[in-house]
Amino acid sequence: MSNGRSFYITTPIYYPSDLPHIGHGYTSVAVDALARWHRQAGDDTWMLTGTDEHGQKMLRAAAANGVTPQEWVDRLVQESWFPLLETLDVANDDFIRTTQPRHEERVQQFVQALYDRGYIYAGEYEALYCVGCEEFKPEAEIVDGTGPFEGLKVCAIHSKPLELLQEKNYFFKLSEFQDRLLELYRDEPDFVRPESARNEVISFVRSGLKDLSISRSAFDWGIRVPWDDTHVIYVWVDALLNYATAVGYGTDPEQFARRWPAYHVVGKDILRFHAVIWPAMLMAAGLDVPRGVFAHGWLLVGGEKMSKSKLTGIAPQEITDVFGSDAYRFYFLSAIAFGQDGSFSWEDLSARYQAELANGFGNLASRTVAMIERYFDGVVPPSAETTEADERIQRTVADAAEAADAAMERFRPDEAITAIWTIVDALNGYITENEPWALAKDDGRRARLGTVLYTAAEGLRALAVLLSPIMPAATEKLWVALGADALGRLVDQPLREAGTWGGLRPGGSVNGLAPLFPRVDQS
Ligand code: MSP
């Protein structure tokens, strides 16, 4: 059912040494919802995620745990990172690990190509390095330490001392790409989104680019520089290349042509790597730059960026164990404007779960199915003559479906959910106003009762389709309860036609629906 339009979308590849927290989970569910949306709309979709396994951070963590770096990352990926995908119901098409041969070999090939094209040279380097960021820090992110780090220079993000590194390095001529990058941002205004991220990137590039150190010789946990095996490739160069190596760069030209270029969704902390260094590397290699980079905001807990190192970390499973994976996905994607920072609190999650999911959507579904069971023996009634109120629902559904698709195209799942929720609200109001329980007492109004319940059930059909990328499990249950599986599988319902009225066929049977969002006990 592909329409031939390619949609390749990626998450950042995560450092496995950190245990997954809700910040990582946020990026992953956003990318998964966007991918599911496009897949279900018939776009030729590919979703990639994975782990970033080289570098000093990993080497030190392994040593501290008394195992080899390979053993260390193997264990963490198996025990924590694969399970995260299940916990959050993520349907990725591939998972790349930077220690896989398919990646390592192609990274060497890419770096060799840049060397052969004259974009890499050897030089001396001395600068302050943050192992947490795996980055030589720019002036603006170096601050004076306090407390135990008094008198030392520390990283503004990690608040940990920086290390002065002095070594012979290979450099990538990033400075040569300043003009071409500025042209790119000018010609393709959507290359970096949102607007605030775009402005930040433009002013950073305008202020001048320095060449980038792309190798390290002080340790060996990395991919060897092909022409000098005393050096390993800088972990960020290695990591960024995952987006290309995973779709056949250097091995499978057909696959690469079909998928590349990608859309990258990243946290704003790693925007510059993706919107400056990465496109410059691709330009140097003569490859297409990404389709776009979308930077989302940070999850804040108690007002601070959530991170494991600052002890504010919350594991996604703590949330899904209580509320389920659908509620996790819905909450983070609806409560935070995608692109801005957002605060997480258990109180807010719990309140939204109760109001929007249990009382709003879940209750609408339960009572509609229950009334069809009670008044029509579980058979979806036909719609008779329609009134202005029924037609208003039909228009709401059509408008919401269109607005949601437009919002997903803009990478705004939050706005898509707001649009879809107009259907939930309208249907709840419609049922209250039309009082099917009162109509049911009057035999003369049976045709009207049928119209009201058909309208509600057909609205739910549209809701199931539109919400399935956001809440795959609950919508699947609803689909079956509506008897809509006669129309085929939910995931095969064409998303861009979800708003066309009349999909649900009268005469089908509904099946009892257990509460979609049961009451939770949070003791
Ligand atoms: N390994 C690099 C990325 C390489 S991509 C070529 C890295 N990894 S990371 O494990 O630190 O996680 C990166 C991503 O996790 C962030 O860009 C962001 O998407 C997500 N988040 C981590 N903490 C977060 C918050 N507190 N809030 C929101 N997202 C956060 O950097």
Side-chain angles (χ1 to χ4, degrees), residues 416-478:
I417 294 172
T418 303
I420 296 167
W421 230 253
T422 60
I423 305 177
V424 175
D425 293 339
L427 280 178
N428 272 322
Y430 172 85
I431 290 180
T432 309
E433 277 159 30
N434 286 278
E435 300 186 310
W437 45 89
L439 295 173
K441 290 187 185 137
D442 180 351
D443 272 350
R445 307 199 68 191
R446 199 151 166 82
R448 179 67 199 146
L449 175 63
T451 305
V452 170
L453 291 182
Y454 178 81
T455 302
E458 167 59 6
L460 282 167
R461 191 248 349 131
L463 279 174
V465 176
L466 292 167
L467 287 171
S468 86
I470 312 286
M471 296 188 277
T475 50
E476 181 63 42
K477 279 191 211 150
L478 174 58

Side-chain angles (χ1 to χ4, degrees), residues 13 15 21 23-24 27 52 236 243 267 269-270 296 298-299 306:
I13 49 171
Y15 292 127
H21 59 57
H24 307 122
T27 314
D52 183 357
W236 265 101
Y243 303 130
D269 46 338
I270 56 173
H296 66 68
W298 282 343
L299 288 189
M306 220 224 31

Side-chain angles (χ1 to χ4, degrees), residues 160-381:
K160 296 235 177 86
L162 296 164
E163 300 178 20
L164 184 67
L165 296 183
Q166 196 175 19
E167 24 178 87
K168 175 190 156 198
N169 273 181
Y170 289 100
F171 286 84
F172 168 54
K173 293 182 180 168
L174 181 61
S175 59
E176 285 194 8
F177 291 89
Q178 183 168 352
D179 293 343
R180 284 182 64 187
L181 286 167
L182 289 171
E183 257 166 52
L184 169 67
Y185 310 141
R186 191 194 60 213
D187 296 347
E188 286 177 48
D190 279 348
F191 181 74
V192 184
R193 281 182 283 183
E195 189 66 23
S196 53
R198 175 170 187 263
N199 293 338
E200 185 209 305
V201 165
I202 292 177
S203 72
F204 175 75
V205 173
R206 274 210 189 114
S207 72
L209 293 176
K210 291 204 188 107
D211 289 347
L212 177 75
S213 156
I214 58 146
S215 74
R216 303 291 311 278
S217 59
F219 62 92
D220 65 357
W221 179 237
I223 303 173
R224 303 257 167 218
V225 169
W227 61 89
D228 180 348
D229 70 4
T230 61
H231 282 243
V232 293
I233 294 164
Y234 173 43
V235 63
W236 265 101
V237 169
D238 166 353
L240 288 164
L241 278 163
N242 89 86
Y243 303 130
T245 60
V247 290
Y249 164 77
T251 44
D252 186 346
E254 230 169 86
Q255 159 89 337
F256 191 67
R258 177 173 173 189
R259 303 291 176 208
W260 190 256
Y263 286 103
H264 303 304
V265 173
V266 300
K268 65 182 184 183
D269 46 338
I270 56 173
L271 172 62
R272 285 183 202 166
F273 291 101
H274 287 82
V276 181
I277 296 173
W278 178 224
M281 283 166 58
L282 289 160
M283 286 171 180
L287 297 172
D288 286 344
V289 297
R291 283 221 159 91
V293 178
F294 193 100
H296 66 68
W298 282 343
L299 288 189
L300 310 173
V301 176
E304 270 204 62
K305 180 187 178 213
M306 220 224 31
S307 80
K308 199 189 128 233
S309 47
K310 291 192 172 159
L311 298 178
T312 46
I314 298 171
Q317 211 178 337
E318 291 178 52
I319 292 178
T320 57
D321 279 351
V322 180
F323 294 94
S325 57
D326 280 340
Y328 182 107
R329 299 167 63 97
F330 172 82
Y331 173 72
F332 287 107
L333 296 183
S334 64
I336 302 170
F338 204 55
Q340 290 172 30
D341 291 351
S343 291
F344 168 81
S345 77
W346 288 97
E347 291 73 20
D348 188 36
L349 165 61
S350 186
R352 284 175 191 266
Y353 178 87
Q354 200 50 43
E356 288 160 35
L357 294 181
N359 297 345
F361 177 40
N363 197 24
L364 170 68
S366 313
R367 57 184 184 150
T368 301
V369 171
M371 285 191 283
I372 293 175
E373 286 181 320
R374 189 171 328 132
Y375 305 139
F376 289 95
D377 291 327
V379 176
V380 176

